[in-house]
Amino acid sequence: MLNSVHKNLSKADSLTPKTGKHLAHLQLHKTGPPAGSDTLANPAPNAIAQDHGVCRIVIGRPIWVADTVKAPLKSDKLPPLPERKVPFLQVHGNILYDVNYYSHIDTPYNETDVYQHTIQTYLDILIKGQYPFRIYLTNHFSNSPLFHNFSDFNLSYTNTAFNQGIKDQLRQQYMNSLPGQQKIDSLENALRNDLAKLNGLHGWMNNPDLIQQLVEAREKAYLAGRNKDTSSWMGNKAGVMGLAGGPQGKVDTAHLDSLYAVRQHQADSLEHEVARLQKLLATTRQAGGAEENKNLQDLQNAESPGQLEKEMRVLHLSDSSLPKGYKTLMAVKSVSVGRSIVNYSELSAKDISINGLQAEYNPSNYYAVATGVVDYRFRDFLLQQPGQPRQYMNVLRYGRGMRDGNSVILTWYQGKRQLYSASSIDTGQTQVPASNLMGLTLQGNYKVTKNILVTAEVAKSSVPAYVSDSSKKEGGLAGQMLHMSDRSNEAYSVMANAFFPATQTRLRGSFKHLGENFQSFSVFTDGSAQTAWNGSLDQLLFKRQLDLVLSAYTNDFSNPYISQQYRSTTVFKSIQATWRRRNWPVLSVGYFPSSQLTKLGNGSYEENLFYTMVGNATYTYTFHKLMMNTTLVYTQFYNRASDSGFTYFNTKNLLLSQSVFLSRLTLQGNASAAANTDYNLYTLEGKAQYNLTKNLQVGAGVKYNEQTVYDIQQWGYSGELTWRIRKLGQIQFSADKGFIPGMNNRLVPNNTGRLTYFKTF
């Protein structure tokens, strides 16, 4: 013990002559970030440099990035960005040519060597960088009488694109005009000062020289009672460090410990204060961010010029940079010349394709007009026959409120349309009759909450031409429509759509009743009273992993080829469930009604309804560093031979498909089995696609069919090519020799081909 004390004394004595150098060295290397550095951005040093200085004591010198990064001078200015010149006219779009060939088309239609050609282009036109329009040009022609030849043109004003452009400009203006956040700035300054003090205290307390002096002070204090010279020497050393010492520079170990404890307490207090300021600063920033997000969301959700102007006043935004007439253009919901779809209401005009003019204007009140020739409804495209009576439609609408919000809208419609019924036979000699019609509807939309919308509508129309006493009614169509004692030409409907975010539940439902003599462009009139309803539930379960959809509905009377009864009690039900979970296969199963339209001859058709069940599992995964996909599909038709001309009635079908994705090669194999009451059909197929170059892809496949009972084996093949030609576009070609159901439950050969050219500009 005595030898150890002597060694420490010798070490202390060797430092005494260099006291002045120690003081200068400590002053040179005192800790803390350099003046003017941002301690908020760098509260702790980036590194500690071991500095020996001019003495033997090693000093840990902290280094901040600010020590080596030169702050830009106020005079340093970036050159201004050149103003972007907006061209008067910008045009983008594409052009498409597509031709399909079928040696036979699928049953129940008996057509051979059918060609369909489609030439189409659309142009997105932007005038002065702000006013968007779109042009569609389409020409479709075929050598089959089953497909209607037509040429379409459409010029439309794109309201959605214009409105979004206005909102984007206001959003940028709002972000640029946010005022200085004084509260956040003051918190940042307070936090910066406290971090600087805390860093200084930590530097003082962690100084290696101080720690060494504390050890030596305790050793000297132990020997103080035995050696007064030692006490005198220690007092001088402590005085030099500015850590301890009395009037005579004597050692005071208790004072040194007390001073260290005071500094430790100060550091602890500052740490608590820094944590409090950091939390307060984060909360303040979050609150400011939440307010900004709310303001931006309110701008985005503005549905009318009035609502947008109100939000602009609240946020102190100017409209000086917005295009002229933006309020009027925002209120124009649509303007279309040429082919367009009229979809106004359930009882007036719904999903009707017209060739004419359509416009909607909704600043606060609602105005709409549509006029044109009716070529076909969506389903009638396949069945439209030449020489039928011309159909046309005129619609005027006026309402109060926003079209998609709370509103009351009055609709008047007038025109001429064909009358359909299941007994009608449409041939060259006998045509489906036509009838003039007129009607009024009153529709109300009410948003119960943000996510619940209820729509109700009542309507009254003129009566069909075949009603025996219609010609006797005074006043013509208007008199028939306003004849209040006649209730047979009335209709009403109610619809509701609701979403509940808390449970991720979506509900839809509707109910409508049509009098036997009610007419409109939304329904087929067949001389019977009609009542229909539907409802659906869409529910997400198990943390949005399971999507369950349930629905039920009665006949919607949208197809004139189904025999209607005066009262129908048939309820069609469907269910579908889809399971999605990370790293799991996607599983889906559904049970729902299906239909098949059959041509009976002489221009008459029949539609048969039956149920179908479909289940599938799809899994994409990696096996030995190879990307793969496996798909399993099960299908079953629940119909009878008497229900349908479909060969595979009451058939169960199982399909397994496996794909392997290599760097430039894709392989696919399919195996399927179809079983019905007459025979089984087994199919094997293999395909390969190979990327010869970046722009050229080729593929080929082979298929084997075996049909039991009839003991038939058949081979088919397929080929495809995709060629991207720089600046010219893309060409796709495919050909397939396959088989489709034919007479006497036998498969008959069917060759198909397709050529497509596509260019985007």
Side-chain angles (χ1 to χ4, degrees):
M1 179 66 183
L2 186 59
N3 292 334
S4 175
V5 171
H6 282 300
K7 289 180 180 179
N8 289 330
L9 286 173
S10 300
K11 182 178 180 181
D13 289 340
S14 66
L15 297 175
T16 303
K18 300 184 179 125
T19 301
K21 293 181 180 179
H22 279 299
L23 181 59
H25 187 60
L26 290 174
Q27 292 294 329
L28 180 64
H29 295 289
K30 61 183 179 179
T31 58
S37 64
D38 190 355
T39 55
L40 184 62
N42 278 300
N46 301 85
I48 301 293
Q50 301 297 324
D51 190 351
H52 292 269
V54 295
C55 61
R56 294 187 300 170
I57 300 176
V58 178
I59 303 297
R61 182 177 185 272
I63 299 177
W64 279 265
V65 173
D67 289 342
T68 57
V69 178
K70 178 180 179 294
L73 299 176
K74 293 184 179 180
S75 60
D76 296 339
K77 294 183 179 180
L78 295 175
L81 294 175
E83 292 187 5
R84 178 174 173 266
K85 185 177 180 181
V86 179
F88 176 79
L89 191 67
Q90 300 178 60
V91 180
H92 300 283
N94 64 49
I95 185 170
L96 167 73
Y97 170 71
D98 182 82
V99 55
N100 284 316
Y101 167 76
Y102 300 90
S103 63
H104 296 79
I105 60 175
D106 202 356
T107 53
Y109 297 99
N110 184 21
E111 289 283 325
T112 60
D113 295 327
V114 176
Y115 287 91
Q116 293 187 80
H117 301 263
T118 301
I119 303 173
Q120 184 182 77
T121 183
Y122 84 80
L123 305 175
D124 280 327
I125 301 174
L126 191 63
I127 300 176
K128 299 178 67 173
Q130 294 175 324
Y131 305 102
F133 294 87
R134 174 166 287 186
I135 294 177
Y136 273 103
L137 294 169
T138 303
N139 181 259
H140 179 89
F141 54 97
S142 171
N143 64 341
S144 171
L146 293 173
F147 300 97
H148 181 51
N149 298 334
F150 64 89
S151 296
D152 281 346
F153 166 81
N154 174 263
L155 169 63
S156 61
Y157 160 69
T158 313
N159 169 275
T160 303
F162 179 80
N163 287 1
Q164 190 58 50
I166 295 296
K167 293 175 182 179
D168 288 343
Q169 291 186 51
L170 293 175
R171 174 190 178 93
Q172 188 62 43
Q173 186 183 150
Y174 170 69
M175 297 300 293
N176 294 336
S177 66
L178 288 176
Q181 303 177 24
Q182 298 180 358
K183 184 176 181 180
I184 292 179
D185 291 341
S186 63
L187 289 174
E188 288 179 345
N189 290 331
L191 181 59
R192 182 181 292 108
N193 293 333
D194 285 351
L195 284 171
K197 294 177 183 178
L198 183 60
N199 286 333
L201 285 173
H202 283 163
W204 184 87
M205 296 168 60
N206 296 328
N207 194 304
D209 188 54
L210 173 62
I211 296 174
Q212 179 66 24
Q213 298 308 319
L214 287 173
V215 173
E216 293 182 0
R218 286 181 175 84
E219 291 180 350
K220 301 307 180 183
Y222 176 77
L223 299 175
R226 300 181 180 181
N227 191 337
K228 296 181 180 180
D229 293 339
T230 302
S231 299
S232 176
W233 175 89
M234 188 60 202
N236 291 333
K237 184 169 183 70
V240 170
M241 292 298 299
L243 304 175
Q248 293 81 24
K250 296 182 180 180
V251 171
D252 188 348
T253 305
H255 180 68
L256 183 62
D257 291 338
S258 175
L259 180 60
Y260 192 89
V262 169
R263 299 290 176 87
Q264 181 66 55
H265 178 72
Q266 291 175 346
D268 293 341
S269 299
L270 279 173
E271 286 178 351
H272 288 298
E273 179 65 12
V274 166
R276 186 187 71 83
L277 287 174
Q278 288 176 335
K279 183 177 180 180
L280 182 60
L281 183 61
T283 303
T284 305
R285 283 174 172 165
Q286 184 177 5
E291 182 178 0
E292 293 173 12
N293 291 335
K294 180 182 180 301
N295 292 334
L296 292 174
Q297 192 66 34
D298 291 341
L299 277 176
Q300 184 64 38
N301 293 337
E303 297 179 355
S304 67
Q307 292 177 349
L308 187 65
E309 187 176 16
K310 178 181 177 181
E311 296 299 330
M312 291 169 62
R313 286 197 302 267
V314 171
L315 301 178
H316 306 288
L317 300 179
S318 171
D319 63 354
S320 59
S321 62
L322 300 181
K324 295 180 180 180
Y326 76 93
K327 294 181 181 179
T328 300
L329 290 175
M330 285 188 67
V332 176
K333 297 301 181 181
S334 65
V335 174
S336 179
V337 178
R339 172 80 61 194
S340 63
I341 303 301
V342 177
N343 191 6
Y344 285 154
S345 72
E346 188 72 20
L347 299 180
S348 60
K350 181 179 179 181
D351 297 338
I352 305 299
S353 176
I354 69 169
N355 200 347
L357 169 69
Q358 180 182 190
E360 290 180 282
Y361 182 59
N362 193 193
S364 56
N365 293 340
Y366 175 77
Y367 309 88
V369 59
T371 180
V373 177
V374 179
D375 282 347
Y376 50 81
R377 284 172 53 103
F378 287 133
R379 297 195 63 137
D380 297 339
F381 171 68
L382 183 66
L383 306 173
Q384 183 77 12
Q385 299 296 328
Q388 291 181 339
R390 300 288 287 177
Q391 303 178 97
Y392 65 90
M393 177 177 68
N394 301 307
V395 181
L396 295 175
R397 306 187 85 202
Y398 170 77
R400 302 295 300 272
M402 300 305 297
R403 179 191 64 182
D404 299 322
N406 295 336
S407 60
V408 176
I409 300 175
L410 179 67
T411 302
W412 172 85
Y413 59 88
Q414 179 270 338
K416 185 176 183 179
R417 67 161 303 168
Q418 297 166 8
L419 295 175
Y420 293 87
S421 67
S423 59
S424 297
I425 298 178
D426 182 18
T427 66
Q429 293 76 28
T430 304
Q431 295 181 346
V432 174
S435 174
N436 294 319
L437 72 159
M438 181 183 295
L440 283 173
T441 77
L442 184 64
Q443 179 189 41
N445 296 312
Y446 179 65
K447 280 193 171 184
V448 180
T449 67
K450 178 182 178 181
N451 298 311
I452 301 178
L453 175 66
V454 177
T455 300
E457 186 177 17
V458 295
K460 194 171 179 65
S461 73
S462 60
V463 299
Y466 57 75
V467 176
S468 59
D469 61 345
S470 61
S471 60
K472 301 178 182 179
K473 295 183 182 294
E474 297 180 358
L477 296 179
Q480 299 171 21
M481 178 181 65
L482 299 176
H483 190 63
M484 296 304 171
S485 61
D486 186 2
R487 308 299 299 272
S488 67
N489 57 349
E490 297 177 352
Y492 53 85
S493 72
V494 179
M495 295 183 293
N497 193 333
F499 176 67
F500 303 95
T503 59
Q504 292 294 301
T505 304
R506 186 177 298 278
L507 295 173
R508 296 184 181 90
S510 70
F511 175 86
K512 68 179 177 181
H513 174 78
L514 311 175
E516 60 267 25
N517 291 324
F518 176 75
Q519 299 183 98
S520 80
F521 291 95
S522 296
V523 298
F524 290 101
T525 302
D526 65 353
S528 64
Q530 305 170 0
T531 300
W533 60 265
N534 71 74
S536 67
L537 165 68
D538 189 343
Q539 178 67 61
L540 294 175
L541 301 168
F542 303 109
K543 299 181 179 179
R544 303 171 64 90
Q545 295 179 125
L546 178 63
D547 185 6
L548 182 64
V549 180
L550 305 174
S551 67
Y553 62 92
T554 58
N555 195 343
D556 59 1
F557 306 102
S558 62
N559 193 337
Y561 306 108
I562 302 177
S563 298
Q564 309 290 357
Q565 298 178 354
Y566 284 91
R567 178 175 297 177
S568 176
T569 59
T570 304
V571 178
F572 302 98
K573 302 167 285 292
S574 69
I575 179 173
Q576 182 172 348
T578 303
W579 173 265
R580 293 182 178 89
R581 184 171 182 176
R582 186 179 179 86
N583 298 324
W584 280 44
V586 177
L587 306 175
S588 179
V589 61
Y591 181 77
F592 43 83
S594 301
S595 67
Q596 182 188 25
L597 196 63
T598 305
K599 182 178 180 181
L600 302 178
N602 296 324
S604 61
Y605 306 87
E606 181 183 48
E607 184 177 49
N608 301 106
L609 299 174
F610 52 90
Y611 277 94
T612 300
M613 185 177 72
V614 177
N616 63 72
T618 302
Y619 189 35
T620 301
Y621 55 96
T622 301
F623 182 74
H624 289 296
K625 298 183 179 180
L626 293 178
M627 182 68 72
M628 296 189 177
N629 177 271
T630 302
T631 300
L632 183 66
V633 181
Y634 175 79
T635 306
Q636 182 169 355
F637 303 108
Y638 294 90
N639 58 343
R640 297 168 297 177
S642 58
D643 292 337
S644 172
F646 185 38
T647 302
Y648 290 152
F649 65 88
N650 200 23
T651 296
K652 303 177 181 66
N653 186 85
L654 183 65
L655 168 67
L656 175 64
S657 178
Q658 178 67 46
S659 299
V660 180
F661 304 95
L662 304 174
S663 59
R664 302 175 69 177
L665 178 66
T666 300
L667 300 175
Q668 181 180 0
N670 301 322
S672 66
N676 58 44
T677 56
D678 291 337
Y679 60 86
N680 296 337
L681 176 64
Y682 302 101
T683 302
L684 293 175
E685 182 179 15
K687 291 183 177 181
Q689 291 182 344
Y690 185 72
N691 295 326
L692 292 174
T693 67
K694 180 181 179 181
N695 298 317
L696 182 60
Q697 181 185 79
V698 296
V702 62
K703 180 186 293 186
Y704 172 75
N705 297 316
E706 181 178 353
Q707 188 177 1
T708 64
V709 180
Y710 301 96
D711 194 24
I712 298 175
Q713 294 84 33
Q714 295 171 311
W715 288 88
Y717 53 83
S718 63
E720 58 186 43
L721 178 144
T722 300
W723 189 13
R724 301 177 185 87
I725 307 174
R726 186 179 180 184
K727 296 184 179 180
L728 291 180
Q730 177 176 290
I731 296 175
Q732 290 181 318
F733 172 77
S734 63
D736 181 270
K737 179 182 179 182
F739 304 90
I740 61 174
M743 299 298 293
N744 302 321
N745 294 331
R746 293 173 180 263
L747 296 178
V748 297
N750 182 42
N751 300 324
T752 63
R754 183 172 186 177
L755 175 66
T756 302
Y757 170 76
F758 185 81
K759 168 65 177 176
T760 300
F761 54 89

